[in-house]
Amino acid sequence: MTVTVTDAVTAEGPLPTRTYDVVIVGAGVVGCALARELARHPRLSVALVEAQDDVGQGTSKANTAILHTGFDAAPGTLEARLVREGHERLGAYAAESGIPVERVGALLVAWDEEQLAALPRLAEKAERNDHHETRLLGPGELYAREPHLGPGALGALHVPGESIICPWTTTLAYATQAVRAGVDLHLNTRLIQAGWETDGHRMLTSRGALRARHLVNAAGLHADSVDRLLGHEDFTVTPRRGQLLVYDKFARPLVRHILLPVPTALGKGVLVAPTVYGNVLLGPTAEDLDDKRATGSTADGLAGLRAKGRRILPALLDEEVTAVYAGLRAATGQEDYRITAHPGQAYVTVGGIRSTGLTASMAIAAHVTGLLAAGGLDLGPVREPEPVTMPNLGEAFPRPYQRPELIAADPEYGTLVCHCERVSRGEIRDALASPIPPRTLEGLRRRTRARAGRCQGFYCGAAVRELVERGRA
């Protein structure tokens, strides 16, 4: 069966009446990775359904954008194994697909004797997770590596494999490959009801009925709600809000590594990290909430971040803040993923995927595909999807405005629209004509960085909006 990309992506109107082999609920980074993995089996009919109007709209778009080694995962857990495997898989995939990655390494900084005493235990934990590259640093070497670090640090654990990555491009790359290979992507499709019958799953969505032989729940913050529709009450998702401050590019020379605190039971704590876009992040907070839509920032939360940031990197507080954002992580009260197969229902739950889900995404996808096969899904032959080359959003690699040969072939790449982020008309045009085009200005920002700079669209906003409206016409 041949599927055109235009037909494969829908955002309105009734859904197809066909019965899919697999329906994946949730188009975050994990759902998109699974769609791509299943697209390697061309005999399958697969649909990826998303409640919002774009892929990667939940936790996947608002995280710390770190490609983790898994050095500090709980040894022996499924998460530890999948993060370790995912680090290798995603690192290779990023290199092939043009996803920007910078291997800056991380430093876990100890600020008191108790934290200093914990560093050898963390190094041992890394060894148990098959990560053998960590090294303890004394204060002399620590300050030689990070001269702008605040006073009073007693030492650090160096983790050279930790990297920074573009989470937006990663999710979009997975989805683009999946769609090009024949997966249907249905946006604005919220799951309302679901039920299992002998011949498969019958679902009611905000866009009508949907049927599937196998169902995968990758609904992120709402994975527990979807689970309950199928009669399971194995876990409850507590949204854990992480607020972050984004500092301007002028702050980038202040930090060379990802600066991590010694972790606590609530998470990895407040970090300072460079981004592939040339900024510096400070955050996140860790606030357990009741509202799964509470992505707003608070004065108390930001003040707390500044107080911690002043100790870690005092000069950072003198720099301009470019943006503030908050993301919600799916905490479940268990230090592991909640991935469970229910073979009797041809159903797999993929829950409790926290901040490490970006790193583990490809390994999670392979693991879940194995669970589906064990539950009766005939995968059929394998055919690798056509490679995808994503637009580069990273500052460490040549952008279109820096490539004379590209501009000579198409002058639109030399005509800047967003001057803060150096985004050209050609890049905006390409995003609007892509297999999964943006439907909002925020979607365009994630594809091009337009309006993401220090003026936040004050100067380029009207021009960008005009191009978007013209592209829709």
Side-chain angles (χ1 to χ4, degrees):
M1 179 181 62
T2 301
V3 180
T4 65
V5 168
T6 302
D7 295 336
V9 181
T10 71
E12 57 187 14
L15 297 171
T17 56
R18 65 190 296 191
T19 299
Y20 289 97
D21 291 317
V22 185
V23 165
I24 305 162
V25 178
V29 69
V30 171
C32 290
L34 178 57
R36 177 196 171 276
E37 181 69 22
L38 292 175
R40 298 175 62 244
H41 303 275
R43 218 164 61 187
L44 296 178
S45 60
V46 180
L48 177 62
V49 300
E50 167 57 42
Q52 301 193 66
D53 64 1
D54 201 359
V55 299
Q57 280 277 59
T59 303
S60 302
K61 75 174 182 181
N63 52 51
T64 50
I66 294 175
L67 181 58
H68 295 285
T69 59
F71 77 97
D72 59 346
T77 60
L78 179 63
E79 180 179 15
R81 176 172 71 83
L82 296 181
V83 170
R84 184 170 62 249
E85 293 176 7
H87 179 266
E88 298 304 317
R89 286 175 179 254
L90 181 50
Y93 180 76
E96 296 167 1
S97 305
I99 298 168
V101 173
E102 292 184 52
R103 300 193 179 277
V104 295
L107 295 170
L108 274 81
V109 181
W111 297 96
D112 57 39
E113 293 293 342
E114 183 179 355
Q115 293 177 5
L116 187 65
L119 295 183
R121 294 195 297 271
L122 287 167
E124 292 171 6
K125 191 177 188 181
E127 289 285 334
R128 291 161 62 196
N129 282 320
D130 292 328
H131 188 76
H132 309 294
E133 301 176 353
T134 62
R135 189 165 65 89
L136 295 170
L137 306 181
E141 186 171 357
L142 171 58
Y143 280 97
R145 286 178 171 271
E146 290 289 352
H148 298 285
L149 198 66
L154 303 180
L157 181 68
H158 182 216
V159 188
E162 296 283 296
S163 306
I164 53 177
I165 188 171
C166 176
W168 306 331
T169 311
T170 302
T171 304
L172 187 60
Y174 294 156
T176 299
Q177 269 194 306
V179 165
R180 284 178 172 173
V183 171
D184 285 355
L185 171 61
H186 299 306
L187 302 169
N188 295 324
T189 306
R190 180 172 54 86
L191 186 65
I192 300 172
Q193 295 177 5
W196 164 252
E197 301 179 5
T198 55
D199 61 343
H201 293 272
R202 295 177 182 269
M203 291 160 276
L204 176 64
T205 78
S206 55
R207 292 177 54 195
L210 187 64
R211 298 181 65 178
R213 297 180 181 89
H214 295 260
L215 180 64
V216 179
N217 168 12
L221 292 167
H222 302 281
D224 55 344
S225 300
V226 174
D227 225 30
R228 283 162 174 71
L229 293 177
L230 275 296
H232 304 285
E233 296 191 12
D234 298 335
F235 63 95
T236 297
V237 171
T238 299
R240 182 168 292 164
R241 181 167 59 189
Q243 302 181 49
L244 295 105
L245 290 162
V246 183
Y247 284 87
D248 192 52
K249 293 180 174 63
F250 289 120
R252 181 64 180 83
L254 295 176
V255 61
R256 300 171 183 174
H257 304 73
I258 303 164
L259 301 180
L260 299 172
V262 177
T264 68
L266 273 179
K268 298 180 186 297
V270 173
L271 57 80
V272 173
T275 74
V276 294
Y277 318 116
N279 304 101
V280 176
L281 287 181
L282 171 61
T285 58
E287 312 154 58
D288 286 347
L289 307 173
D290 296 323
D291 187 354
K292 294 181 179 180
R293 299 168 297 175
T295 56
S297 299
T298 66
D300 288 346
L302 299 181
L305 289 180
R306 289 190 178 96
K308 292 181 179 180
R310 190 174 300 281
R311 183 180 191 186
I312 300 167
L313 206 68
L316 183 63
L317 276 294
D318 296 327
E319 300 294 332
E320 295 290 334
V321 172
T322 297
V324 173
Y325 69 94
L328 298 175
R329 290 159 278 174
T332 63
Q334 175 177 301
E335 199 175 0
D336 202 357
Y337 296 154
R338 300 281 190 143
I339 301 178
T340 307
H342 303 279
Q345 290 181 307
Y347 170 62
V348 179
T349 301
V350 188
I353 311 300
R354 300 166 298 169
S355 57
T356 56
L358 170 61
T359 300
S361 53
M362 297 188 81
I364 293 172
H367 177 68
V368 172
T369 299
L371 294 177
L372 288 168
L377 176 65
D378 182 6
L379 296 175
V382 173
R383 184 179 66 205
E384 295 299 331
E386 292 184 9
V388 63
T389 300
M390 302 304 292
N392 168 47
L393 302 187
E395 285 290 286
F397 310 91
R399 300 276 304 287
Y401 78 93
Q402 297 170 314
R403 297 175 57 189
E405 79 287 356
L406 191 63
I407 296 170
D410 187 345
E412 291 285 85
Y413 292 114
T415 305
L416 295 184
V417 178
C418 172
H419 287 263
C420 293
E421 295 298 303
R422 304 291 193 269
V423 181
S424 66
R425 288 172 60 99
E427 292 167 273
I428 293 174
R429 175 202 61 200
D430 292 349
L432 294 172
S434 65
I436 308 173
R439 286 175 165 75
T440 63
L441 292 174
E442 289 304 308
L444 182 65
R445 178 197 295 242
R446 292 192 296 274
R447 287 160 173 79
T448 64
R449 286 175 41 185
R451 300 170 58 253
R454 61 179 62 98
C455 85
Q456 291 290 287
F458 180 82
Y459 290 103
C460 68
V464 171
R465 182 180 294 275
E466 181 183 359
L467 290 174
V468 169
E469 291 175 352
R470 191 183 304 168
R472 289 174 179 159

